[in-house]
């Protein structure tokens, strides 16, 4: 069995967690599985004094008595890195499940992400002590905790935390990010607050936008699966044993509820029916899905914001999501899905738009094709939605796609005459008055190109929509080299990983091609297939260099799905990591089109015919945004 980087990372940390848990998981009773616990270090000497707050730990609505509660500041040395305990001694919940935190805990900074972990205890006065109980929540940054705040920890907050922090959470309740991606873990904390009300532990959160469909039923189902274990007789009860068995990853079973949930999140297509059946053992949370889901991916569908046949998707440095539209509307959403402009942005030359890319100034570049609303051009909008540029020079002819390179130059693909226009960030053409035509000797390399991506050396790669090739273009247009990357006749998307390997989507042959940085077609003559690939339309690469495709269709015609394939450095490059029908078919995306990944690992997809923007929460390895050239690891 080939493991994805995410699965291998999870397996390694599970082995380490059994020996080196650095949290105060001290609620071990006589049914303890024998884990050696290391007490937390003394509180750190930071520079921000946290304010007092109160809290409760519940199993459903039943108080968990005698649970140990610790506050942590998320680690800053890597994803899943060791956090810092902020209390020298963990707190113990009383007969009502309550605890109280006094002022005096110290955060490293005001923006340090805090989280709480509750372990052990018994559910209710007559319940049995259960050492397998590990629950979690996060109020977000240290400075968001106000004096007298109330925080509730239960199964629902634990499920939401595991999804929101999926790319930052490791077994043993270790939450951390790299020091260069504090913005990503902060976005994840905001996602948690969107999913649940941290104060009351109910779903959704108070700020959940009205244009979204909350995934509360799926959260409830998994919360019930945890609840059945927590209220049982011990960590070795049948309810707990079944949970741990169904949540096993790579043959290793977890030994507590949080690690079990994390495994489910990281392996959303595993044991779906069994877990759904297990969730029926409790009715603590409702509503729940009427039947087992296709998988356990967690998604939110967002509408409005002016979306009408949405196409390209691009993400700025703050995590905000831009969406282009065929109808000539540009839409902008916060990272929690709220539309920044209720009806989107129109005018400004926007017309028949397909391509969108964000530059280093957080300005979005959108391609405009001829129509009653405009002409051949590129519209640039700043972060407030105001026009920052409008460019029509350089041979633009039905421009269909755009990418920004590491020098902030814009590469624009022209479908109308099979050419490429390169513009400076100020709109000056670098490719002459007519653009590059792709001719090398007597060979015309461009064949109705429809997409473009750029590597770290500023070589461009064009996807030829009417052939099975991609064309490499030198930065100065001095050379053009084509590579056959599939057996079909329509390459519609292209993406470059952090090592300059190039992925391409072959729409007509239901496959992905992979070209190494040295020019070898690693995927052979037929490309990689499987994992639900069916007319792949959009393509992105995540921070683990795995490829993600949004399929225009699915093998069973039940809506678009996501496909994940292992990256070039995997033991078996191109192996399918997603199930046979792909991920997320329950999202009911119709004609999936554009795709982008943010710094928290959320995958954003536009539905061309459903007029939706769908967020798959915590599904991919985080990516530094905006995308300037190849994928960068934050």
């Amino acid at each position: 069995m080939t493991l994805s980087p995410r699965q291998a990372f999870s397996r390694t940390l599970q082995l380490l967690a059994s020996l080196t848990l650095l949290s105060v998981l001290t609620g071990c009773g006589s049914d303890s599985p024998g884990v050696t616990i290391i007490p937390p270090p003394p509180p750190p000497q930071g520079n921000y004094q946290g304010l007092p707050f109160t809290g409760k730990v519940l199993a459903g609505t039943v108080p968990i008595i005698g649970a140990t509660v610790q506050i942590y500041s998320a680690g800053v040395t890597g994803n899943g890195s060791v956090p810092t305990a902020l209390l020298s001694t963990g707190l113990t919940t009383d007969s009502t499940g309550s605890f109280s935190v006094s002022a005096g805990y110290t955060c490293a900074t005001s923006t340090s992400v805090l989280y709480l972990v509750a372990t052990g205890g018994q559910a209710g006065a007559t319940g049995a002590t259960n050492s397998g109980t590990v629950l979690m929540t996060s109020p977000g940054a240290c400075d968001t905790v106000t004096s007298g705040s109330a925080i509730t920890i239960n199964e629902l907050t634990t499920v939401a935390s595991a999804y929101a922090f999926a790319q930052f959470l490791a077994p043993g309740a270790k939450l951390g990010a790299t020091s260069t991606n504090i913005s990503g873990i902060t976005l994840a904390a905001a996602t948690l607050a969107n999913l649940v009300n941290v104060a009351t532990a109910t779903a959704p959160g108070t700020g959940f936008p009205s244009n979204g469909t909350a995934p509360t039923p799926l959260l409830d189902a998994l919360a019930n699966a945890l609840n059945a274990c927590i209220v049982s007789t011990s960590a070795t009860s049948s309810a707990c044993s079944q949970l741990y068995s169904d949540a096993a990853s790579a043959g290793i079973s977890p030994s507590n509820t949080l690690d079990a949930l994390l495994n489910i999140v990281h392996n959303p297509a595993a044991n779906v029916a069994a877990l759904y059946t297990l969730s029926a053992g409790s009715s603590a949370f409702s509503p729940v899905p009427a039947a087992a889901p296709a998988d356990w991916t967690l998604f939110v569908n967002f509408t409005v914001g002016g979306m009408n046949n949405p196409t390209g998707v691009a993400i700025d440095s703050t995590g905000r999501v831009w969406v282009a539209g065929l109808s000539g509307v540009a839409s902008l959403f916060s990272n929690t899905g709220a539309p920044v402009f209720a009806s989107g942005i129109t005018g400004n030359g926007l017309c028949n738009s397909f391509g969108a890319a964000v530059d280093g100034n957080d300005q979005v570049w959108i391609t405009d094709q001829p129509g009653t609303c405009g002409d051949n051009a590129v519209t640039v909008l700043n972060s407030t939605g105001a026009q920052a540029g409008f460019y029509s020079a350089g041979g633009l002819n039905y421009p269909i796609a755009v990418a920004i390179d590491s020098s902030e130059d814009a590469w624009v693909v022209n479908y109308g005459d099979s050419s490429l226009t390169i513009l400076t960030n100020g709109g000056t053409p670098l490719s002459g008055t007519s653009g590059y035509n792709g001719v090398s000797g007597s060979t015309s390399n461009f064949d109705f190109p429809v997409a473009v991506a750029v590597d770290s050396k500023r070589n461009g790669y064009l996807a030829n929509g009417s052939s099975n090739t991609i064309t490499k273009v030198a930065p100065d247009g001095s050379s053009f080299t084509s590579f056959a990357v599939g057996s079909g006749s329509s390459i519609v998307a292209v993406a470059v990983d952090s090592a300059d390997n190039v992925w391409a989507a072959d729409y007509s042959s239901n496959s992905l091609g992979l070209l190494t940085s040295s020019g070898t077609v690693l995927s052979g003559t037929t490309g990689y297939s499987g994992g639900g690939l069916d007319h792949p339309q959009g393509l992105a690469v995540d921070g683990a260099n795995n490829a993600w495709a949004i399929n225009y269709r699915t093998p069973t015609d039940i809506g678009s799905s996501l496909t994940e394939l292992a990256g070039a450095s995997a033991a078996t490059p191109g192996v399918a990591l997603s199930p046979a029908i792909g991920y997320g078919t329950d999202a009911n995306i119709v004609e999936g089109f554009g795709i982008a990944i943010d710094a928290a690992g959320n995958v954003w997809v536009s539905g061309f015919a459903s007029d939706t923007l769908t967020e798959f929460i915590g599904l991919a390895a985080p990516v530094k945004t905006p995308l300037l050239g190849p994928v960068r690891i934050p």
Side-chain angles (χ1 to χ4, degrees), residues 233-568:
T233 56
S234 73
T236 58
S237 67
S238 59
C240 290
S241 296
Q242 190 63 53
L243 172 65
Y244 302 153
S245 175
D246 291 342
S249 176
I252 299 175
S253 295
S255 60
N256 66 71
T257 53
L258 178 58
D259 286 353
L261 205 285
L262 184 59
N263 278 359
I264 294 168
V265 171
H266 283 173
N267 302 277
N271 298 324
V272 176
L275 286 165
Y276 179 76
T277 299
L278 182 63
S279 73
S282 170
S283 58
F285 299 91
S286 62
V288 296
D295 55 56
W296 293 107
T297 55
L298 189 70
F299 58 86
V300 182
N301 285 326
F302 298 105
T303 58
V304 303
M307 286 190 295
N308 188 352
N309 296 137
T311 50
V313 180
I315 300 174
D316 71 14
S317 66
T318 67
R320 299 197 306 177
V321 185
W322 283 96
V323 184
L326 185 62
S327 61
V329 179
S331 303
L332 178 61
F333 295 84
S334 73
N335 195 259
T336 53
V340 177
F341 308 103
S343 301
I345 300 170
T346 57
N348 297 287
L350 293 166
C351 190
N352 298 326
S353 301
F354 285 96
V358 174
D359 65 22
N361 297 313
D362 280 343
Q363 300 177 141
V364 65
W365 293 60
I366 297 177
T367 58
D368 307 314
Q369 294 188 358
T372 58
C373 46
D375 208 342
N376 292 308
V378 176
T379 297
V380 182
L381 303 173
N382 66 21
S383 58
T384 66
Q387 188 182 97
F390 182 75
Y391 309 122
S392 57
L396 294 174
N397 190 328
Y398 282 83
I400 193 170
V402 58
I404 309 296
D405 68 21
S406 57
S407 295
E408 301 280 347
D409 295 332
W411 294 59
V412 185
V413 169
N414 299 301
Y415 184 80
D417 63 355
S418 294
S419 68
L420 169 68
T421 299
I422 303 178
L423 304 173
T424 68
N425 195 253
T428 302
L430 297 175
S431 48
T433 58
S434 301
Y436 297 138
N437 61 14
V439 175
S440 179
S442 60
T443 302
S444 179
N445 289 278
F446 297 165
D447 195 352
F448 293 101
V450 293
V452 60
V454 188
D455 70 14
S456 64
K457 300 177 181 62
R458 298 184 60 248
N459 297 299
Y461 292 86
L462 274 63
N464 291 303
S466 291
S467 81
N468 66 340
T469 65
I470 60 175
T471 301
K472 179 180 180 180
V473 182
D476 60 358
S478 60
S479 66
F480 308 93
T481 308
S482 291
F483 303 88
V485 290
S487 59
S489 59
S490 184
I491 307 298
V492 296
V494 64
V496 181
D497 74 13
S498 65
D500 284 345
N501 301 302
V502 186
W503 287 90
D506 189 337
Y507 182 89
S508 58
S509 69
N510 303 325
S511 66
L512 297 187
L514 177 58
L515 177 73
T516 67
S517 58
S518 61
T520 299
V521 179
L522 204 60
S523 51
T525 58
T526 58
Y528 300 127
S529 58
L533 282 170
D534 192 343
H535 296 79
Q537 175 64 50
L539 191 59
V541 175
D542 70 11
N545 284 334
N546 289 340
W548 291 83
I550 178 61
N551 297 294
Y552 200 72
R553 302 176 184 170
T554 58
T556 52
D557 288 328
I558 54 175
S560 297
S561 69
L562 280 170
T563 294
E564 180 187 14
L565 300 187

